[in-house]
Amino acid sequence: MDNSPTALFESYEQDFQQIVDSLKQKLEGDVKDERAEQRKADMRRVEMELDEADEMISQMEIEIQGIPQSMKPHYQTRLRTAKADLSRYKKLSNEVRGQLARSDLLSSRGGAGPPTSDEPYGSTSDRTRLLSGAALLEDGSRRLQESQRIALETEDQGADILMSLRQQREQIENSRDTLHRADGSIDRASGTLKKMIRRMYQQRVVTAIIIVVLVLLIAVIVWEKLS
């Protein structure tokens, strides 16, 4: 698993790009060529995808706060580009909705013909709505699975971070214990040195006393011989 500080940002950016590709297909291609009912269904999906894209942008803004300063400018540029793409497709969505509204107005003025025996429901709009609903459900399920996958990955990353923090805490505690033991050893070594120095001075004093006694004995012996 990628535990780099930019992994989640790039994951959200990838999801955002998938949504943008879907928006591009619907707004710049299919929507202009399909029937009215299908276009309405696609525009409902466009609104859902725009909301999801907004959510991805919000997540990217959150994740960019944890990116190191040395890397942040590059990802800030990518975030601004994503925001610009989202604004462009929001504007395009509004334009397409306006076109659909004008088309509906013109259609309502023109009226509608009676149903035929081949089409007992008057048109294929019901089947189109059912297909659109099934597509929406499928897309929603896929988005839900993707959200669950991201949640599981986030949970795994959180567990890894907790494990790493626990290991670091154990290392700090071991280092603290080592320092305490080293401090105790230093205190004992210092006490030993002090005892050795004190004994050395005691030995010097004893040696000096012995020398003085010997000098006095020699002086006494010499004085007795001379006298």
Side-chain angles (χ1 to χ4, degrees), residues 150-160:
I150 294 175
L152 289 175
E153 290 181 355
T154 304
E155 183 180 356
D156 291 339
Q157 290 179 353
D160 291 339

Side-chain angles (χ1 to χ4, degrees), residues 21-22 26 37 39 58 61 103 132-133 149 153 178 180 183 196 199 202 213 219:
D21 292 339
S22 178
K26 292 182 180 65
E37 292 298 331
R39 284 186 293 175
S58 299
E61 289 176 338
S103 298
S132 299
R149 181 186 64 80
E153 290 181 355
T178 302
H180 285 326
D183 187 49
M196 293 175 63
R199 289 178 182 176
Q202 290 175 352
V213 171

Side-chain angles (χ1 to χ4, degrees), residues 94-111:
N94 291 331
E95 293 176 356
V96 173
R97 275 198 294 270
Q99 293 174 1
L100 290 177
R102 287 192 295 271
S103 298
D104 289 342
L105 181 61
L106 293 175
S107 298
S108 63
R109 288 179 179 178

Side-chain angles (χ1 to χ4, degrees), residues 8 46 50 70 76-77 109 131 136 139 161 164 202 215:
L8 281 177
V46 165
L50 286 173
S70 59
Q76 286 175 334
T77 301
R109 288 179 179 178
L131 293 174
L136 284 172
D139 187 66
I161 292 173
S164 177
Q202 290 175 352
V215 170

